[in-house]
Amino acid sequence: MTEAGALLDNVVAFGRLLRRAGLAVGPEQTRTFAAALALVGFDRKRVTRAAGRAVYVRRRDERELFDRAFDLFWRRHVPLDGAPLLPRIRQSSERPPTFPAPASAGADTTIDNAPTRATPAAASEAERIRHADFAALTAAELHDAARMIDRIRPTLPTRRSRRWVATRGRGRRPARARMLRSALATGGEPLRWLAQDHPRRIRPIALVLDISGSMERYSRLLLRFAHSLGLAGARTETFVFGTRLTRITRELRIRDPDSALERVGTRVVDWNGGTRIGESLHELNRRWVRRTIRSGAIVLIASDGWERGDPEALGQEMALLRRSCYRLYWLNPLVGRPGFAPEVAGLKAALPHVDALLPCGTVASLEALAVTLERSIVAPSRHFRAELITEHA
């Protein structure tokens, strides 16, 4: 293999390693990094690392992840003859490294400060990730959890339309006009009984997601869940809020989830900041409810309830929003943890106005949420709502 071919193969392998580590790496970045190495060379590790950071690292929290993957890739493939060239992809019969790489006998291939644990079977590992809290997962496990969320296809809630349409079987009333028209061909005798009924339509779903600093490990995976709802055919409206409310419905309409979230990242400017739930809901009620949510929608608010503003104002906005939708669910990633209690002021102010308080911190909880949406056509009684809310008090 030529030197240029070996270089390109190693750049592609390094891009795959970064993608498995959790970074959003595309073919265009791989081509850019290959062109950068052709200009700066790869005989100096420091220069090569700087070129890779410039191409692959977009956020501050991705720098440490890139450095660990780079050190692993560089150390794992050092040429035996000491040449400065990047090595061939396969120097032996072993498989190319993954991130985090398993330790091999006689070689130090582990990442510093990486958690050490035995690797279980593939099925049990997937089940463990499904039930593990997002905040406790590594970067590679978060990548696997994101793929599980992408595969969620819920059965969407429906409602009866006000219009009447013809049905093939039984209906709510006879289709008199159609029966009379068809009887003209049989001498005025209606030989077929035709009926009409209200067709079922998918209920709209509105998601209002907290992207403040306390929700950092959950907000991106919740955005993937919102993207999965859109792919399932739901009429989805998605908003995010930190210190302000931003509508991102158009950005999530791209079929590829990574590209959709990349567009969301360029659209939203208040990632990982403070939380002003009351002011954000005020804007939602005054500007967007009549235009996007309407009375038949199911509204999902995902937040841990940390509020910098006035909790009383938050309660008033929640009461107004509850009167404007069909169901109102509050999603909290901390629900289900041992010893959880709604002690923060924002959550206490919101709970009297919600239909249910649900968890959203694991893949399994999001799968259960998809089932809850399907069953939301059954109205919860006041006793059930009060019992559900006080269960975690």
Side-chain angles (χ1 to χ4, degrees), residues 163-229:
R163 302 183 61 182
W164 292 94
V165 297
T167 60
R168 296 182 178 181
R170 296 181 178 181
R172 290 179 174 266
R173 71 179 188 183
R176 300 183 182 89
R178 295 187 66 223
M179 291 173 62
L180 289 176
R181 285 195 299 269
S182 63
L184 294 178
T186 58
E189 289 290 337
L191 300 182
R192 288 196 309 161
W193 182 268
L194 303 177
Q196 289 179 326
D197 203 346
H198 296 290
R200 303 202 69 89
R201 300 186 184 277
I202 298 176
R203 284 189 178 276
I205 300 175
L207 295 97
V208 188
L209 308 179
D210 187 349
I211 57 171
S212 61
S214 58
M215 290 285 292
E216 179 182 2
R217 298 302 300 268
Y218 304 97
S219 57
R220 299 182 184 276
L221 294 175
L222 289 174
L223 284 173
R224 300 189 84 98
F225 178 72
H227 185 267
S228 297
L229 287 178

Side-chain angles (χ1 to χ4, degrees), residues 34-113:
L37 290 183
L39 294 176
V40 303
F42 41 84
D43 54 338
R44 292 173 294 175
K45 182 178 179 180
R46 180 178 59 84
V47 177
T48 306
R49 184 197 299 269
R53 285 178 181 173
V55 174
Y56 293 112
V57 178
R58 300 172 180 171
R59 298 177 55 85
R60 182 181 301 176
D61 55 356
E62 294 178 350
R63 180 172 177 174
E64 180 181 359
L65 187 63
F66 171 84
D67 289 342
R68 290 186 178 186
F70 182 84
D71 291 338
L72 172 65
F73 189 80
W74 189 281
R75 179 173 63 246
R76 182 65 179 86
H77 287 281
V78 173
L80 298 178
D81 56 359
L85 299 178
L86 284 176
R88 297 185 299 273
I89 292 181
R90 295 181 183 271
Q91 299 181 20
S92 63
S93 59
E94 296 180 357
R95 297 180 59 186
T98 58
F99 184 82
S104 59
D108 182 15
T109 61
T110 59
I111 299 179
D112 296 338
N113 301 325

